[in-house]
Amino acid sequence: MDVIEKLQEKIQQDRDTKKRAIVFWYDSQAQVSVDELKKQLDDIEVRKLTNHNFFQLKVEIEIQRTTESFLIYSDVAKPADKENMLLDILLYSTEFKADETAMLTETLKVSDNVLRPKMEQYPLFFDSKERKRRLSKILPKQADDYHFELSMMAVLVKASVPDIRVIVRQLLMEGLHMEDSELLKQIKRNFSLERTLEIIGRYFGVSLEKDNEPLVQLLNVLIYQHFRQIAGFTAEDWEVQWASSSPNVCALFVEEWLQHSDGSVLEEHIKEWEIVHQVRDVLSKQDIENYQLVDTFPVVDVLIIEKCMDELTHQTIHMDERLSLIKQRLHKYWGSKDKIKAIYDTLFEAIRLEKLKPVINRMHLQEDFYESYTKSLYEVDQAYRNFMYHFTRLTAKEMLEEIASRLTNWYENEYLRRLSDEMNFRLEEGYVSKLMPQRTFFSKVIRPILEKEQTRVFVIISDALRFEAAYELHEKLKERENGKSNINPMAASYPTYTQLGMASLLPHRKLSADEKKGILVDEQSTKGMDNRRHILQSVEPQTEVLKLKELLDMKASEVDHLMKGKRLVYLYHDHIDALGDSAKSERETYGAVHQAIQDLQYAVDRLSRLQAKRIFITADHGFLFQFKQIENYGKIPAVEGQVMDNNRRFAIGHNLSVSEGSIKLTQRQTPLQNVEVVLAKSLNRFKTGGGLQFIHGGALPQEAVVPLIDYRRIEKGQPVDIAVAMINKVITNYRIPVSFYQEQSITDIYTSRKVLIAFYQGDERISNEVELVFDLKGENRDRNRQVTFNLVEKYYKIGETCKLRIETVTKKGKEPYLEEEFTLRLYEAMY
C-alpha cells in the first residue's frame, strides 16, 4: 500500500467514525506535492499550512465549514506544541504519519518510542515482510518493551502467542543442543540470543549462559524442580546444579506441558533424564513414603509396584495403605498410562484379595449360607476374577506369576474347598435358602408392578451373570446421575442350568421336565423365544420378547414403533454362557464377564435414553470357574438311569444312580415336581460332555446365588454445592492451604461433583491445578477438605487480587462453577 492509499484509508476511517475527517500531515520529506494531493483526493479540501493562513483555516474548520473534511498538509516538521497555532484542532483530529516506522506503528498499534528503538536495534528482523505480518497478528495492543520482545521471539520460534511458556516449549521441542536448533539460530540472527536467555532465565529463576548448552540446563532445572515440589527429600547434588528461585513456575510449566497435545516430547526427555541421572538409584535409597506422590518419573511407579510385589510375596503388606496409594497413582500422569495402569489394576485386586482372606473364617456366622455369601464372601470371587482378568492380559505376566500362582492356589484349594465343604454339609441336612426363590420373581416382583402401575417394565436376563459380577455392575449404575440402583440376591432353582433358570423367571404355577420338550411351565414348553413370548403374553398381552442385541441395534424410531403400547419387555443377553460353555473358549470366561458388564451398562444407558423408568437385570444361574487343571479325583462317574438332561454338575431323570461325590435332592430342594435331581457335591464334575473349567448346575453359591438389580430412572440429581470455607481470603505465602466445604451430603437428590481448581489472574493460571471429587456423606463436620496450592513465583503488587476458579468437569467438558477473589499480600517477595 503506497502513501496516498494509506492516507485515503485514514481519511475514510475518520469519516466513518466522526462523520467528517480533519487530518494533519507533517511531511518533512516532502514526499508529495499539494497539487498531487488535490488531484488524488478530490473529495476532501486539501490545504497547505503556512505561517500566514492558520487563522483563516481555524475560522473555516470551526465556524464556516463545520461539516466538510480537510487535509492540512505541511512540508515542514511538526512544530513543538507551544509553537503550534492549530494545536487545539490537532488534539481532537487525526495526525497522519507517512514514514515506514510511523506506518508500522499504526499497523502494530504500538507507541513510537517502543517501536523505533527496536527497529534500530534489530534491523534484520524488520527486513522481512512476513515477520512483520506475523508480528502484527500476535502483538498485544499497546505492548510495552517486554511484550514487544516476547512477540518478536514468538514470531521467530513460530509460537502462536507471545507467551513465554509457549515460546520455551517450542524451543525445547525443536532440539536441546545449540548446533542443532534452527530456532535458536533464527533468534541469534534476527533478534538476540543473550536477551532471549535473559528473559527465559528470569522467568524460570535460573541463570542461562549461551556457551553452556542453555536449553539442556533449563530442561534439567524444569524436571528437577517438578520432582522437588512433591518429593519428601532433597537430592543435594541435584539441588546444587539445578536450583531455581521460581520452583513453582518450573513445576507448573512441566505439569502444563505434560497435559498438552505435544506432551509426548517431554515424556521422552523425562525418560532419558531418568536414565542419565540414575533416578532409580537415588530413589531406592529413600523410604517409599518420601516419593510416593511424585509424578515426574515413571520409575516412581515401577518402584512402588516392585515394593508392593515384594510385600505381597513376603506377607508384610499394609493393605489399606497400599490400596489407597494405588488409587492415587492411577490418577497420576504415569500411573494412568496403559502398561503401568494394567499392572496397578492387577496389583490392586491382588492386595484386595489378601485383605479379604479372613472373611472365610466368618462363613458360619449367619444361619443362611447363601445370605452369608451375599454379605461378604462374594467379594472374594469378585476380587479373584478381576485379578485374573487383568493378570492374563499383562504383557509381562512373569512379574506376577508367583503371586498369581499363590493366590490361585489359595482361592481354589482353600477358599473353594472350605466353601464347598460347608455347602455339602448343608445339602445333606436338606438345606433350602431363605433368600427369595428365583421361581417367585414374576409373581413377587413383576406382577405387582403390572397390576398397580402404568410403567413399562424391562427385564434383562443375562445368562450366567453371577451375583458378584452383577454387584460390580450395580456399583457402576449407582454412579449414574439420573438413576437409582438396588441389588438383592435370589436363590436359583436347582439344578442351576439355563433351561430351568429361564423357566423360573417366567410366570407359572408349576415347573416340570419333559424328555423332548425340556422344562415346562404349566405344561408348556419354554424352549425358544416364541414359547417364552407366548407364556408371557398369556399373563400380559402387551409383552415383547427380544434378544438384547437386537433392541440395541435398532434405531430410536424403530424401537418407538416396536414398543408402542407395550407394558412388559423381556430381553435376553448371552455373552458369558456362550463363551464359557464351549471347551474351546472357556478360558476366556473372565473376559466375557468384563464384556458383559460393559454391555449391560450400555443397555441401561440406551434404555434410559428411550425413557425406560423400570429396568430389572437378573440371571438364570451363575457359574464356577477354575483356572487350574482339574485333577482326576474331582471327576466322578456319570449318573446312570433314565437321564433326561445333564451336564458336568447335574442330572435329571428317573431311577438315577447316586455315585460317591454326588447327592440326590429332596422334593423340597428343587421346584421340578416330576423328576429326580442329582447334583455333584463339592467341586466335582461328572465324567460326561462339556468343559471342565466353566461349570454350573450345582449348589455352590457362585452357581446358585443370582442377582436382581432394580434400576429406576429418576429425575437427574443436583450436583452438591461447594464453598470455600475461609473467612480471611488473603494470600501471604507461595504455598496456599485452602479449605473447601461440601454443602450437602450425597443422597438420591444430590450427586457428586467433580471439579478442577486453580488460581488465576485474568486468563493466566498462576498455580497448580487440582482435580477433586466431592462425594462425601455424613454430618457437616465430615464434609470438609483441605488442599494446598503452589503459587508461581513472580512479583505481585501488595493488595492486588487473583481468583480461585472452580470448574465442574462433565462428560461434555468443563463448565464454570465458582470464583472466589483472594487478596495478594506476599510481603516476603519484597526482600
Side-chain angles (χ1 to χ4, degrees), residues 334-353:
W334 295 103
S336 63
K337 295 288 182 180
D338 289 345
K339 290 184 179 179
I340 294 177
K341 181 181 183 300
I343 299 174
Y344 272 139
D345 286 337
T346 310
L347 269 177
F348 185 88
E349 298 299 340
I351 297 168
R352 183 179 164 216
L353 196 56

Side-chain angles (χ1 to χ4, degrees), residues 67 143 153 211 278 298 396 472 751 796:
T67 61
M153 291 162 59
D211 298 327
Q278 301 177 321
E472 185 174 317
T751 60
Y796 301 98

